[in-house]
Amino acid sequence: MAKCKVERCHHPVSELSLDGCCIFHTEAGKIKGYEKGKPVFIKPDERDEKSKGIVQEFVSQFSRLLEQRKNDKGILVCDEFIFPALIKQEWDEIWRPVKSGYIINLDFSVSFIGANFGGVAYFIGAKFGGEASFSEANFGGVAYFIRANFGGVANFSEANFGGKAYFIGAKFGGEADFIGANFGGEADFRWANFGGEAYFSWANFGGEANFSNTIVNLRGIFRNAKFHKEADFTNAIVKLLDFTRCEIFSFMRMRETNRMSDEQKEEIENRIKELASPEDKFSESEKSILEWALKLVEENVPPIILLRDLRFWENGHLILEDFDVSLTSFWQTNFHIIRPRIDLIRVDWKDKVIIDDIFKRPKESENFTEENKLIYGPIESLNKRKQAEEIERCYRQIRLAYEARGEYPDAGDFYLLEMDARKIKLNDVFLLCLHYLYAWVSNYGESISRAFGWLIGVFLVSTILFAFAGFSHQKETFRLLPQFDISNILGTLKILLASSVAIINAITLGRMEIYAPENIWGSVIFYSARIFGLIILTLLLLAIRRRFRR
């Protein structure tokens, strides 16, 4: 019997096909034409007698393939198969040889590389014992992988989901590869558990992306991904999420990351008890993932989230809410294009130091040895000045985000860190001295009381010293003697009052001739009071101006 003309296909040519292909690769009775290069499948209610015959033979032959693989445990190769638009009853008939109750037991490796699913793809409750490859597969309708269990590598790289993709409660025991995948509709990964690495780099999310309550045991990599609609990571339990160079077209929300409600904890604890004696590798994998997630929450470990070099489109916006963002990176991201693009709502900061600040890096960061290269590589590749410039910019972005929400105490804290980072890049000694003076006198303009205290201090010290040095005013000489005469209190007060007026005159740039010093020490004190008093007064006015600008 003639073999299918498709390369590497060993199935015989179907008598119902007219294109020299087997029942799995033929387009006859499945596709009615093409629009813009994409196949248009025959819907179940559009089938003629020939199409019905093709579908019946397809279901029968595929079911027979499953029966063979069930017995010999070999790999099920379905590369470039063309699945007609099937209804649920037909999918049930396909899975009949490997179905037990609600579970589809695929205890062998499967390969659907380049497969074309014309309608609904029904894999609810499927258990993949080996590697499952759907690379470059095309899902024309809804793809159901609800509660699917992948024991090995799950490869969906460059897969195209034309409709909604449901991976609710799916469990990935090994690596999950969605690199370059295209989600035309909603991508729903709620309650999914990723035991290995989860790769979504260059993925395109055309619809809503829902990763709420998802557990990512190792790393979730979303580099260069595009989120066209809302992306939700509420209550996700993660070790590391990398969103470097992502494009955000709508809202992305991260809320209560690495946190659980009491009900969630109780539910997970009960599930762990159910899995106390794992029956198979699937149960054992799920148990270890849940135990890890529970431990992470109980130890209050903050997630590592890399929000680096993000691109915000017109309606792009990021919300971080109700979790510890101490290990969140803002490296090279501009959150203030035209308007603020980030909201920081009730977030926690440990010491209010970002993970990017290698000059004030928390000691805990040393524990993340596996991620060191990923986290700190881009930072440590720069020279010290460039590092300081970028860290300063990151703190400025956070400060502006708080100022936009009117949360000025938090904004002030990050303004201080911004100024500390600016100090590191200063090479000029004079500018560095002014910077330190600005910090000492007014806490970088954040403390009016400190600046006022310094001004009063300079005024009082200068007044007393100038009175001891002596000065003349309107042909009258004023000088405090080294020993005070208690009986002449009024005279002492008169001298101090005159001296205070002289110092005020000095600070306000008055003429020295009005209060002429008697000696060189008086001149030194007068001009010192003028210089330092004027500087401190200026810094005080700047602090007042900064306060009122808010």
Side-chain angles (χ1 to χ4, degrees), residues 215 217 237-239 258-260 264-265 268-269 272 286-303:
I215 297 175
N217 190 22
I237 309 299
V238 302
K239 183 177 183 181
N258 283 13
R259 294 182 179 178
M260 291 182 186
Q264 288 175 302
K265 287 183 181 179
I268 288 181
E269 288 170 351
I272 291 175
E286 181 184 358
K287 181 173 179 288
S288 64
I289 294 172
L290 293 178
E291 287 176 338
W292 171 85
L294 203 59
K295 181 180 179 182
L296 200 71
V297 172
E298 289 174 348
E299 294 180 355
N300 198 25
V301 178

Side-chain angles (χ1 to χ4, degrees), residues 271-315:
R271 180 59 179 162
I272 291 175
K273 290 178 182 178
E274 293 176 8
L275 300 169
S277 300
E279 300 176 358
D280 51 35
K281 67 176 183 179
F282 298 103
S283 300
E284 186 176 354
S285 174
E286 181 184 358
K287 181 173 179 288
S288 64
I289 294 172
L290 293 178
E291 287 176 338
W292 171 85
L294 203 59
K295 181 180 179 182
L296 200 71
V297 172
E298 289 174 348
E299 294 180 355
N300 198 25
V301 178
I304 301 174
I305 301 177
L306 307 182
L307 303 173
R308 293 176 169 170
D309 198 14
L310 300 184
R311 273 81 163 176
F312 291 94
W313 290 78
E314 184 177 358
N315 296 317

Side-chain angles (χ1 to χ4, degrees), residues 414-425:
F414 284 96
Y415 173 70
L416 299 180
L417 291 167
E418 175 189 345
M419 297 302 290
D420 281 344
R422 182 179 300 178
K423 174 180 61 182
I424 297 171
K425 69 179 184 179

